[in-house]
Amino acid sequence: MTEIVAFVPMRHSSERVPGKNYRPFAGRPLYYYIVETLLNCPQISLVCIDTDSPTIMEDAATQFPSVKLLERPEHLRDGATPMNDVLLNSVAQVPADYYLQTHSTNPLLTSATVSQAITTFLDQSEHDSLFGVTRLQTRFYDAQGQAMNHDPNVLLRTQDLPPVYEENSNLYLFTQKILEERKNRIGSNPLMFAIDRDEAWDIDEEIDFRVAEFLYRDRQSQ
C-alpha cells in the first residue's frame, strides 16, 4: 500500500491577516477545516502539522489527537523562509512514499477533491509530481501592456480564449527525492490538477478571508 503523509505548515504570526491560521472562521479556528479534510481522505496515512505556534500546538493536541505535531525549529521560523526549506525539515522526520502538502488557508478544499487528485496521480506513471491549478479564461497583459494570451485585434469571447492555469497553492504531491534534488515541490514533469474556483480560494489577504467565509457559509446553507 502506498503511504502518503500530508503536511500542513502553519506559522503563529501572519503579516497581512493577523493570526489567520487560528482565527475564527465560520465559528471555528481556520485550520480545523483543512485538517478535517485531510483526515477524511482514505488514501492519507498520516496528517502532520508543522508549526511554531504554541496556540496551535496546544489546541491541536486536544482536538486532533491522531495528528502528528512537528515543532518548527527556530532557524526556520522567519516569514521569509522558503516553504521548501520548511518541508525539507519535515520530510526528514516522517518517512513516506509520497508527501501531500496544503495550507490551512484553503478551507474550501474538499476531501473528495483531494482524494480525486491522489487517485488521478497514482493511476498514471508519466508524471513525477502534482500541483493544483485554477483554469482561467480572461485577457492577460504583461507589465508593458502587451497582450499575453490573445490578439487585441481579434476580440474573441473570453470563454473562447485558450485557457491559462494559475498555481493556486491548494495541493502538492511529491517525493522526498524530488524535494531534495530540486529544492522544489514540483518535479521535472508535473501533473497539473485543475480545482474549481469555488474550492481553490486561498486566503492571503483580508478580502480573501471574508470571501472564503461567505462561500463556506453559502455552501453549508444549501
Side-chain angles (χ1 to χ4, degrees):
M1 179 178 176
T2 302
E3 186 169 14
I4 299 174
V5 168
F7 287 120
V8 185
M10 289 183 274
R11 293 179 61 243
H12 183 74
S13 300
S14 176
E15 295 174 4
R16 284 175 286 188
V17 186
K20 67 180 178 182
N21 290 318
Y22 47 87
R23 173 176 162 179
F25 177 96
R28 300 193 301 159
L30 177 65
Y31 82 92
Y32 280 28
Y33 298 89
I34 196 63
V35 170
E36 290 174 351
T37 290
L38 297 172
L39 289 173
N40 287 322
C41 290
Q43 302 103 316
I44 293 177
S45 308
L46 177 67
V47 177
C48 298
I49 290 175
D50 172 283
T51 186
D52 66 336
S53 172
T55 300
I56 294 172
M57 292 282 285
E58 182 178 351
D59 185 60
T62 301
Q63 298 298 323
F64 303 105
S66 66
V67 169
K68 185 177 182 65
L69 300 175
L70 302 176
E71 185 173 4
R72 188 173 302 183
E74 191 70 36
H75 70 283
L76 295 175
R77 294 184 179 185
D78 187 88
T81 301
M83 178 53 59
N84 293 319
D85 290 348
V86 173
L87 290 171
L88 281 166
N89 176 71
S90 297
V91 301
Q93 300 178 65
V94 188
D97 297 309
Y98 292 99
Y99 297 96
L100 184 150
Q101 189 249 313
T102 183
H103 296 280
S104 62
T105 50
N106 307 140
L108 301 177
L109 189 63
T110 66
S111 299
T113 295
V114 176
S115 289
Q116 183 185 0
I118 294 171
T119 298
T120 300
F121 178 72
L122 294 180
D123 283 349
Q124 58 81 49
S125 57
E126 177 183 357
H127 301 281
D128 62 356
S129 55
L130 174 149
F131 68 102
V133 297
T134 304
R135 176 187 171 115
L136 301 175
Q137 285 178 279
T138 188
R139 299 183 183 93
F140 287 99
Y141 292 82
D142 64 19
Q144 286 71 46
Q146 298 300 309
M148 297 174 64
N149 67 328
H150 66 285
D151 183 350
N153 297 316
V154 181
L155 200 59
L156 291 176
R157 299 181 303 170
T158 53
Q159 61 263 42
D160 294 328
L161 290 172
V164 294
Y165 296 88
E166 176 188 17
E167 181 182 346
N168 58 33
S169 299
N170 272 233
L171 196 61
Y172 299 89
L173 266 171
F174 54 92
T175 63
Q176 182 172 0
K177 181 179 179 181
I178 285 172
L179 188 65
E180 290 177 345
E181 291 182 352
R182 297 177 62 85
K183 303 298 187 286
N184 199 323
R185 298 165 290 191
I186 299 175
S188 59
N189 186 23
L191 172 63
M192 294 194 304
F193 183 79
I195 301 172
D196 290 342
R197 291 183 69 186
D198 61 348
E199 277 192 57
W201 209 277
D202 182 56
I203 297 174
D204 194 37
E205 300 179 349
E206 183 65 31
I207 186 62
D208 302 321
F209 197 102
R210 296 180 183 181
V211 171
E213 189 170 39
F214 170 82
L215 292 173
Y216 178 81
R217 290 187 188 278
D218 183 67
R219 178 194 290 175
Q220 295 303 107
S221 68
Q222 295 177 13

